[in-house]
Amino acid sequence: MNKFIHSVQLDESACIGCINCIKYCPTQAIRVHNGKAKITPQFCIDCGRCLRYCPHHAKTAVYDSVDEIQEFTYTVALPAPSLYTQFNNLNNIDIVLNALLLMGFDDVFEVSAAAELVSEASRTYIQEHEADAPFISTACPTIVRLIRVKFPTLIPRLLPLKPPVEVAAEIARKRAIEKTGLKSEDIGIFFISPCPSKVTYVKSPLGIEKSEIDKVLAIKEVYPILLKHMTHDESKLKPLSMSGRIGIGWSNAGGESAGLITDNYLACDGIMSALRVLSDLEDEKFHGLKFVELNACNGGCVGGPLTVENPYVATAKSKQLHRDLPVARTHSDDSDDYKDLDYQWSSYVEYEPVFRLGKSFRESFEMMGLIEELTEQLPGLDCGSCGAPTCRALAEDIIRGDATKNDCIYAFHEYINTLSKDIFFLTQSLQLSGNHSSESMDLLEDYIYKLTTELDKKER
Amino acid sequence: MDENLVFNYTISGDDFTRAGEASSDVKNKLKMMGLDNNIIRKVAIAMYEGEINMVIHANGGTITVEISADNIRMILADTGPGIADIDKAMEQGYSTAPEEVRALGFGAGMGLPNMKKYSDHMEIDSTVGIGTTVTMDIHI
């Protein structure tokens, strides 16, 4: 399996080669070369920040199509709780769940119901392993991927439990097999997702070998279809929702922590803030914390790049929606289906040192020395014209062999200036001395050749 | 690796918002160099504590980090008030940090003890009224 598979991709035809994305990427995974952006797969963590910031919409997320429902004999929809927060004046979750059935799914199982089970499992796990606290939430796959490439010492702090959507998929598949008698491959489990990061998770999960989810649909694709099927006539609704405040709350920043019923937690949202918190956590700047919840998106999952509503409006709506609900409506002793669930990860996340410079410490040491030297020579303006986000990043690219110093517009200007002056002085001395030896003519030709080829390269 | 790799930092005094920038920068560079994670952790924590000390007590100073094939040396030099009683300053929980700094959650008296704990060798050269230089070594 490809360890660095991604949902976030570049639409080359829409990319004009501007430098917005390189500036916003939190892992400096994007470069613009030859007029097009290019995402380095090892560095990308699928946060989707470039999707939001690209003014030309040249970054896209790859996900499955609604038509794929037809490929299975029986399908179950797993709506993320953030889906419920997309609609105006929604006061009953069953309206959304019934609409999912009307649009073609055979059954639904709420991710928020599974989230209540995961909250329960998390409480037990943290209590039993208190000495190893604080634990870092693993519900956001982008955060897990960030830690995997940047924070090796924090890997043992990852809460080794499956995310709610995985638990939901396991329950849904088991129930569907029992109910229909169909083979597992004839049953399609469809997650309706707020983010591309979950698409990546399903294709290449961390913490487990294989996901039980078959397809991932984007909230923004399902949303207009659902609108057509939403009936507010309560007499026509099948009672389906099994989520309480804890389950729905998972869609907001701080919601997962609220489900742990502890005050010793830190909840942070937004990938840039998460980076700072992780760095501080690495330096042991916090004491007495039990849990650290990190969401890559501002506002939590409601801020996912595949949602339609403003995350803060969505948060306000979710508060309205769960105001009158019980704390939790799904408990591990409610059903036999929940009793045998195994919440724990089956495989551990390994550090991927993708940002390492050389193959050995000695090689990296030499390279770091050269990078320092080169960075000093660059203008330090971080203008991005070279296609790298900062002058230092360009220096790193040059030493890694992926760029040249003349990619810097200022270094290039200086180079051309020096060459032009050399040509000027040479021609002047030729004129004065009247010496037109083949040696001097060769030198002149060499200068002009360098000048034209370098200018030509820039032109391209 | 005949020459040491040297990183120089200037630490501004009384600016808590910037405290930790230097140690964070060193941490990132060491990660790129593929050093053992435990060594990086020791360097990051020891240097951060030293950096914070310079902000709290000495109105800033300079930090020089020298990396060789088998050692990381951090030299933290300031022209602050100096440490009157080094033995006392090394005791856990002893602090001369002013009240307003403690209110920010600093000055718990763990700075120097932690620096000693996380480094393999530490030397303090301090003269009251002249300044302090702390040299820490962490072996690779």
Side-chain angles (χ1 to χ4, degrees), chain A residues 162-211:
Chain A
K162 292 170 190 166
V165 67
E166 193 58 42
V167 174
E170 280 181 27
I171 299 168
R173 185 173 298 280
K174 188 169 177 245
R175 285 191 174 171
I177 292 172
E178 275 167 17
K179 190 173 166 188
T180 63
L182 288 168
K183 278 189 280 184
S184 183
E185 57 264 37
D186 295 327
I187 293 160
I189 307 292
F190 284 67
F191 175 42
I192 299 161
S193 172
C195 69
S197 187
K198 289 283 190 198
V199 180
T200 306
Y201 164 81
V202 167
K203 296 220 167 95
S204 169
L206 294 174
I208 57 166
E209 298 299 330
K210 190 187 169 297
S211 173

Side-chain angles (χ1 to χ4, degrees), chain A residues 112-126 161 164 246-247 250 255-261 328 343:
Chain A
S112 46
E116 295 186 347
L117 298 174
V118 175
S119 287
E120 220 181 293
S122 305
R123 291 197 290 269
T124 312
Y125 187 90
I126 294 169
L161 300 183
I246 287 181
W250 270 71
E256 182 184 359
S257 303
L260 296 176
I261 320 186
Y343 297 95

Side-chain angles (χ1 to χ4, degrees), chain A residues 148-149 155 348-352:
Chain A
R148 174 175 80 145
V149 295
I155 291 177
Y348 281 85
V349 174
E350 265 176 62
Y351 174 41
E352 299 288 348

Side-chain angles (χ1 to χ4, degrees), chain A residues 194-415:
Chain A
C195 69
S197 187
K198 289 283 190 198
V199 180
T200 306
Y201 164 81
V202 167
K203 296 220 167 95
S204 169
L206 294 174
I208 57 166
E209 298 299 330
K210 190 187 169 297
S211 173
E212 287 294 325
I213 303 156
D214 295 302
K215 303 284 173 190
V216 183
L217 306 181
I219 283 183
K220 67 170 183 176
E221 297 278 314
V222 175
Y223 174 82
I225 307 172
L226 283 180
L227 282 178
K228 283 181 244 161
H229 293 291
M230 285 171 64
T231 165
H232 287 251
D233 179 355
E234 298 209 345
S235 66
K236 289 191 181 136
L237 294 177
K238 265 204 255 179
L240 294 167
S241 182
M242 285 303 296
S243 309
R245 299 170 74 134
I246 287 181
I248 312 284
W250 270 71
S251 61
N252 307 129
E256 182 184 359
S257 303
L260 296 176
I261 320 186
T262 170
D263 288 328
N264 295 334
Y265 72 86
L266 178 160
C268 158
D269 55 322
I271 190 76
M272 300 315 284
S273 308
L275 269 166
R276 275 194 68 178
V277 167
L278 288 168
S279 181
D280 286 353
L281 204 57
E282 205 176 32
D283 297 348
E284 300 183 0
K285 288 183 198 165
F286 306 111
H287 298 281
L289 278 180
K290 278 196 181 143
F291 187 67
V292 177
E293 175 188 334
L294 301 168
N295 297 280
C297 297
N298 290 330
C301 296
V302 289
L306 302 181
T307 59
V308 290
E309 183 57 283
N310 167 318
Y312 302 99
V313 175
T315 301
K317 286 183 188 171
S318 89
K319 299 256 187 298
Q320 291 267 311
L321 195 60
H322 69 45
R323 196 181 45 191
D324 300 323
L325 292 176
V327 174
R329 287 170 73 199
T330 301
H331 310 87
S332 58
D333 50 10
D334 284 351
S335 153
D336 284 342
D337 293 343
Y338 306 158
K339 289 218 174 80
D340 310 325
L341 284 170
D342 184 5
Y343 297 95
Q344 295 220 15
W345 276 2
S346 54
S347 64
Y348 281 85
V349 174
E350 265 176 62
Y351 174 41
E352 299 288 348
V354 295
F355 295 101
R356 200 174 275 180
L357 292 170
K359 288 185 189 73
S360 62
F361 172 58
R362 175 174 279 270
E363 194 188 356
S364 302
F365 183 99
E366 305 289 351
M367 289 169 83
M368 182 58 83
L370 294 171
I371 290 169
E372 292 292 314
E373 224 171 88
L374 201 50
T375 308
E376 284 296 310
Q377 295 166 21
L378 293 170
L381 297 171
D382 297 341
C383 72
S385 300
C386 62
T390 62
C391 293
R392 191 181 172 84
L394 174 64
E396 288 171 19
D397 288 353
I398 295 170
I399 300 305
R400 282 189 158 116
D402 300 331
T404 63
K405 199 178 169 190
N406 273 349
D407 285 335
C408 169
I409 196 79
Y410 295 92
F412 176 70
H413 188 266
E414 202 181 295
Y415 178 80

Side-chain angles (χ1 to χ4, degrees), chain A residues 92-99 237-242 329:
Chain A
N92 185 346
I93 294 166
D94 281 333
I95 296 170
V96 180
L97 302 183
N98 279 265
L237 294 177
K238 265 204 255 179
L240 294 167
S241 182
M242 285 303 296
R329 287 170 73 199

Side-chain angles (χ1 to χ4, degrees), chain B residues 35-53:
Chain B
L35 269 182
D36 178 78
N37 294 325
N38 200 38
I39 294 170
I40 299 174
R41 196 174 138 259
K42 282 160 66 178
V43 171
I45 299 175
M47 186 169 158
Y48 173 72
E49 293 283 8
E51 203 180 335
I52 282 285
N53 270 352

